[in-house]
Amino acid sequence: MNAGVVARRPLIAGNWKMHKTIAEARTLARELCALALPPQIDVVVAPPFTALAAVADELKGSRIALAAQTMHDFAHGPYTGEVSAPMLVEIGVRYVIIGHSERRAFCGESDDAVNRKVRSALANGIVPIVAVGETASEHELGETHAKVTLQTRAAFADVATDDIARCVVAYEPIWAIGTGLVDSPENASAVIAQIRACVDGLAHARILYGGSMKGDNASALMAMPQIDGGLIGGASLTAPAFAAVIDGARAKASAT
Ligand code: PEP
């Protein structure tokens, strides 16, 4: 493994989606900064664009890293409403979620666009958190493997193996997002093993599980050797709920 590649340190990332005004985001960031975070766990929060600068300000001097929820693949240009990687770097963003199922479904984000964004993020020194996952009907039809393989291979097309190892993937079964239906640790782990095997470099990358992960199921998911952390939606919106998920990763952290 190349020296620049991050080992598979546990990572818990909170996706605040379209929640939190600037004032609310500042309050939550301050509460998170007050938590006693285990040093072996990387913690990331992804506020909405409007709150990124304020949260960057609150996180100064803390171990919590800042993420954006999406970005455009071009550096600048006539793309109304979009934000680019250099703009995110300027305010201290270190990670970006790319290809979240909500963006794929509601904003038409294609596999090609995901790939362009991954390459742009890497070129600008931002770590992509690439989300992949199957719908409920694909799950029922037994198409999970085919779907995540397709999405993963497309996301990392023409990306160097060393760069791929620096990326993060989030396996997020769409039927589990925001529904309270959590995948079984065994199944999530088996799908993640398939994701690791389908692209060179992913054996060394951090792969998270996402989908209704909470304090009461985090430790069972995190106990699986293939699962390096979580991408958390609902349970990242309050400090106690997010702290409970981070607590679930403690056993894994002490084992790494
Ligand atoms: C998500 O949207 O990425 C997610 C995992 O949401 P939730 O934790 O609410 O299911």
Side-chain angles (χ1 to χ4, degrees):
M1 191 176 25
N2 175 297
V5 169
V6 180
R8 283 175 47 196
R9 277 169 61 84
L11 188 157
I12 302 292
N15 175 11
W16 296 359
K17 308 194 185 189
M18 198 172 72
H19 295 286
K20 308 291 176 190
T21 62
I22 293 174
E24 290 165 348
R26 273 193 187 275
T27 302
L28 177 54
R30 237 175 265 149
E31 290 168 356
L32 296 176
C33 287
L35 298 173
L37 297 174
Q40 309 90 330
I41 300 179
D42 288 342
V43 178
V44 172
V45 292
F49 282 138
T50 48
L52 278 173
V55 173
D57 184 38
E58 296 294 340
L59 297 182
K60 270 188 199 129
S62 84
R63 291 189 45 251
I64 304 173
L66 191 62
Q69 298 177 15
T70 185
M71 54 170 257
H72 198 274
D73 53 302
F74 284 178
H76 50 78
Y79 302 101
T80 303
E82 296 288 346
V83 172
S84 72
M87 294 169 183
L88 297 175
V89 168
E90 189 181 24
I91 51 173
V93 165
R94 291 181 37 212
Y95 294 81
V96 60
I97 301 170
I98 296 178
H100 191 283
S101 59
E102 287 153 12
R103 293 204 57 87
R104 292 180 191 258
F106 307 138
C107 308
E109 196 155 291
S110 65
D111 283 338
D112 272 358
V114 168
N115 176 247
R116 291 195 302 272
K117 291 178 188 207
V118 166
R119 288 187 283 135
S120 172
L122 287 166
N124 285 280
I126 303 180
V127 177
I129 301 176
V130 179
V132 299
E134 81 286 5
T135 63
S137 59
E138 288 163 343
H139 181 68
E140 277 152 28
L141 290 168
E143 294 172 357
T144 300
H145 183 194
K147 176 69 176 290
V148 298
T149 299
L150 194 81
Q151 287 181 323
T152 308
R153 287 195 176 139
F156 295 108
D158 300 322
V159 181
T161 306
D162 280 355
D163 283 338
I164 292 172
R166 263 185 279 279
C167 293
V168 177
V169 175
Y171 167 54
E172 300 207 300
I174 298 168
W175 49 269
I177 295 180
T179 58
L181 299 172
V182 66
D183 201 357
S184 70
E186 294 73 17
N187 191 62
S189 185
V191 176
I192 289 175
Q194 290 166 347
I195 292 171
R196 283 197 194 288
C198 80
V199 171
D200 276 354
L202 286 182
H204 302 299
R206 290 184 288 183
I207 306 192
L208 317 179
Y209 167 79
S212 297
M213 192 164 170
K214 299 187 171 47
D216 59 7
N217 57 34
S219 61
L221 287 158
M222 291 292 299
M224 305 307 291
Q226 292 289 344
I227 302 181
D228 299 320
L231 180 57
I232 319 298
S236 71
L237 295 177
T238 67
F242 199 46
V245 177
I246 296 167
D247 266 353
R250 273 177 201 270
K252 174 141 210 150
S254 22
T256 50

